[in-house]
Amino acid sequence: NRGLIICDPPFEDMNEWANVLRAFKNSVSRFQTGVVVVWYPIKSGSESGEFLRQIRDIGVNKVLACELILRNPENDPARLNGSGLLILNPPYKLKEELDDYLPWLASALG
């Protein structure tokens, strides 16, 4: 009943967002107690924002989206300006730990 799925798609074509959304929906219905982690790029804010809106529309309660943004995505939306992780059924206290750790990581990488 427990397990971890890690999804690290290449995001090389425009259909990748729809493919990831479809895979996420499938994992929600088939693996309700497992932890699913999906990496996604942050280039422009609109792509990742739309993706997260569609995830919320699925109606899953236990989802954590954490993002590490190194540059303003609107300044150069063709660049990789950050990264995000979408986590279904995140481990207990993970959000609090990431809230502490991500600012340090952003300053170290930025």
Side-chain angles (χ1 to χ4, degrees), residues 34-62:
V35 177
V36 178
V37 178
V38 177
W39 175 86
Y40 60 92
I42 298 174
K43 292 184 177 182
S44 74
S46 60
E47 287 177 333
S48 58
E50 176 63 17
F51 173 67
L52 293 176
R53 186 195 63 71
Q54 291 173 338
I55 292 294
R56 280 192 301 273
D57 289 348
I58 294 172
V60 179
N61 294 330
K62 295 181 180 178

Side-chain angles (χ1 to χ4, degrees), residues 39-45 48 66-77 79-84 101-110:
W39 175 86
Y40 60 92
I42 298 174
K43 292 184 177 182
S44 74
S48 58
C66 58
E67 297 184 339
L68 178 65
I69 299 173
L70 300 176
R71 291 173 290 279
N72 183 343
E74 303 312 317
N75 289 345
D76 191 355
R79 267 182 99 172
L80 180 62
N81 293 299
S83 293
Y101 182 66
L102 284 176
W104 174 85
L105 185 59
S107 69
L109 294 174

Side-chain angles (χ1 to χ4, degrees), residues 1-6 31-37 87-91:
N1 290 340
R2 300 198 65 191
L4 171 66
I5 297 173
I6 300 173
F31 195 45
Q32 296 173 359
T33 59
V35 177
V36 178
V37 178
I87 306 168
L88 174 65
N89 298 322

Side-chain angles (χ1 to χ4, degrees), residues 7 9 11 15-25 38 51:
C7 181
F11 285 96
N15 293 332
E16 207 74 56
W17 291 100
N19 293 341
V20 170
L21 182 64
R22 189 171 33 260
F24 188 81
K25 286 180 182 179
V38 177
F51 173 67

